Amino acid sequence: MHEVEVSYVVEPSYEDVVERLTPRSILEYADVYEIREYEPTADGADVTVSLKDAEMVVSFSELENGYEYRFVDGGEMFEERYSRILVENEDETRISAITRYTFDSIWSFVLDRVGAGTVRQELELILTNLLEDIKGSAADDASR
């Protein structure tokens, strides 16, 4: 199992960040998944996505301050993949994204390390696109 974590202190308020964070937005902000099916559940959503030729199911659970999600059907790509995106509000707003994963391969001990850069890039992109979305909405509100 390999772990990657990305954390930013951000200008937008805790409320603005939490308001934009949804299972759909997390997958859209990653910019690599095509959403095929979206099924709300009691505590989140089950989302079928495609990535290149692989189809995967991602199960989201809402937390008090974010989401956790698992690739329950990793499309023969992951043996296990678990992520959390949390928003904290202390003196400043902090967003943290953590992913733990193992590739589904006899070479996973190598692939897990090699894939860390790609996983980090995905987490950074989710957070960057989230912040850009918030800024874009604030600019739209200001121009009205």
Side-chain angles (χ1 to χ4, degrees):
M1 178 87 45
H2 202 76
E3 183 175 300
V4 175
E5 181 174 355
V6 175
S7 185
Y8 297 139
V9 172
V10 299
E11 288 182 23
S13 72
Y14 172 87
E15 292 78 16
D16 288 342
V17 175
V18 169
E19 178 182 311
R20 287 274 191 259
L21 207 55
T22 67
R24 183 179 297 278
S25 70
I26 290 168
L27 293 169
E28 289 173 349
Y29 293 150
D31 240 2
V32 295
Y33 304 107
E34 183 177 328
I35 297 173
R36 299 277 190 202
E37 188 177 322
Y38 186 94
E39 186 176 323
T41 62
D43 68 337
D46 288 338
V47 186
T48 302
V49 298
S50 63
L51 171 64
K52 298 182 182 176
D53 294 333
E55 197 164 275
M56 300 173 268
V57 176
V58 187
S59 183
F60 284 84
S61 295
E62 187 170 6
L63 305 172
E64 183 178 320
N65 60 337
Y67 282 91
E68 64 181 2
Y69 53 102
R70 292 185 183 283
F71 285 68
V72 293
D73 176 3
E76 297 182 4
M77 185 179 297
F78 297 104
E79 180 179 318
E80 184 176 353
R81 180 171 171 176
Y82 165 82
S83 299
R84 268 183 306 159
I85 297 180
L86 302 174
V87 184
E88 299 170 71
N89 188 22
E90 293 173 8
D91 294 336
E92 50 202 5
T93 305
R94 175 180 296 278
I95 307 172
S96 300
I98 302 129
T99 295
R100 293 184 187 106
Y101 63 94
T102 299
F103 281 98
D104 189 10
S105 169
I106 61 170
W107 301 104
S108 64
F109 63 96
V110 173
L111 293 174
D112 289 352
R113 287 187 175 90
V114 171
T118 302
V119 172
R120 177 175 301 285
Q121 185 177 20
E122 180 180 321
L123 295 177
E124 289 173 346
L125 194 55
I126 290 169
L127 299 185
T128 300
N129 285 337
L130 168 65
L131 295 173
E132 289 298 319
D133 188 26
I134 294 168
K135 286 179 188 175
S137 291
D140 289 347
D141 290 345
S143 67
R144 290 184 193 165

